Amino acid sequence: MSERPIPPELIDRLRRAHRVAVLTGAGISAESGVPTFREAQTGLWARYNPEELATPDAFQRNPKLVWEWYTWRQQRVRQAEPNAGHRALVEMEQRIAEFTLITQNVDGLHRRAGSHQILELHGNLFRAKCFSEDRPVESWPDSEEIPPRCPRCGGLLRPDVVWFGEMLPAATLRAAEHAAATAELFFSIGTSALVYPAADLPFAALNAGATVVEINPQPTPLSPHVTFSLNGAAGQILPALIAAAWEPTT
Ligand code: OAD
């Protein structure tokens, strides 16, 4: 349970809400043992700076190194399981008429937990696309080559994630902005609220008059602006919130 009780006013607003949008970041997967982006460097990878691996320039300089780094990150995620925080958001989706889950995470754990309405702002570790054509590639012939090659044009394949300096997928970002601007209740969960344009979404919700709730053990630049700030781990607070809103108390 969270250390401080969940405000009754928030429980009431959640129960009555028809349109809810949620933004998640690496913090929601922390309790699954998935390292956050900046913690991801251990073992073999400790000497690399992730901000220097997750760029188009890094890939052009050394595509094998970048592909292998993502293969390693995929392995870390395969060993992980969704946690109570991911599962609580599945329950929230089942209770709310219009529910949108916007995530910056590339680990796919929300889908594995059973969420359906997911907008992946930064792509997905388990998909690939052609570096030259910028088109998704579902499968490619087995080969020893790293990275593998695009079956259409022979160009190099890259992970289908958003790298530093790249645009977010336009339609996904538009859908996220729409969800934020029309939500009655907006949750910002496990994100440092530093990386734009995702960090704009809670402010779009606030400007449109939504109740904005932050769940994070640490303060962020968003904290002074939110309606309710719940300090603690998502894996504890979210199940407590669902129980308080919808489970019988007897
Ligand atoms: P960060 O690693 O920047 O921040 C993780 C946040 O989660 C921090 O604010 C922590 O306090 C919080 N946190 C840690 N444990 C938590 C828990 N159990 N429950 C709730 N919160 C917890 O991750 P993001 O904000 O997701 O972008 O980073 C955003 C983007 O920056 C990433 O998507 C990535 C990175 O650069 C790209 O790769 C384009």
Side-chain angles (χ1 to χ4, degrees), residues 25-27 31 36 38 104 122 162 164 190-192 195 216-218 233-234:
E31 289 157 88
T36 63
R38 287 165 192 84
Q104 298 165 88
H122 292 168
V162 176
F164 291 101
T191 172
S192 54
V195 177
N216 197 312
Q218 303 293 334

Side-chain angles (χ1 to χ4, degrees), residues 8-26:
E9 177 62 25
L10 169 58
I11 297 166
D12 193 48
R13 288 188 199 184
L14 177 59
R15 242 186 235 135
R16 287 188 285 112
H18 296 285
R19 287 185 306 280
V20 173
V22 175
L23 171 67
T24 63

Side-chain angles (χ1 to χ4, degrees), residues 31-86:
E31 289 157 88
S32 292
V34 177
T36 63
F37 189 76
R38 287 165 192 84
E39 290 166 352
Q41 309 304 295
T42 54
L44 275 181
W45 298 100
R47 63 199 169 99
Y48 296 101
N49 174 355
E51 301 196 359
E52 285 164 13
L53 288 172
T55 70
D57 281 354
F59 186 79
Q60 276 176 309
R61 267 197 312 274
N62 195 339
K64 183 167 183 285
L65 178 79
V66 173
W67 184 270
E68 284 177 339
W69 183 53
Y70 278 93
T71 305
W72 174 77
R73 292 180 62 197
Q74 281 179 359
Q75 285 162 358
R76 301 283 308 247
V77 170
R78 278 203 188 93
Q79 289 158 7
E81 295 294 333
N83 65 54
H86 296 107

Side-chain angles (χ1 to χ4, degrees), residues 66-178:
V66 173
W67 184 270
E68 284 177 339
W69 183 53
Y70 278 93
T71 305
W72 174 77
R73 292 180 62 197
Q74 281 179 359
Q75 285 162 358
R76 301 283 308 247
V77 170
R78 278 203 188 93
Q79 289 158 7
E81 295 294 333
N83 65 54
H86 296 107
R87 289 193 296 274
L89 291 177
V90 177
E91 278 195 54
M92 200 185 282
E93 178 170 5
Q94 288 162 356
R95 307 272 186 171
I96 301 289
E98 282 181 48
F99 179 86
T100 309
L101 178 50
I102 307 159
T103 188
Q104 298 165 88
N105 299 343
V106 295
D107 57 30
L109 287 179
H110 285 303
R111 198 168 302 281
R112 272 171 59 193
S115 289
H116 294 286
Q117 294 299 325
I118 309 170
L119 298 173
E120 289 181 323
L121 285 182
H122 292 168
N124 190 299
L125 268 181
F126 295 95
R127 287 196 313 256
K129 63 180 182 179
C130 174
F131 186 75
S132 319
E133 300 174 310
D134 200 35
R135 284 204 289 175
V137 174
E138 302 288 336
S139 60
W140 50 89
D142 271 345
S143 113
E144 298 287 289
E145 221 177 335
I146 301 173
R149 288 193 174 267
C150 170
R152 279 186 303 261
C153 77
L156 295 178
L157 295 188
R158 57 164 281 180
D160 190 359
V161 299
V162 176
W163 280 333
F164 291 101
E166 294 187 317
M167 304 289 281
L168 271 60
T172 309
L173 179 59
R174 270 199 306 277
E177 286 166 343
H178 177 75

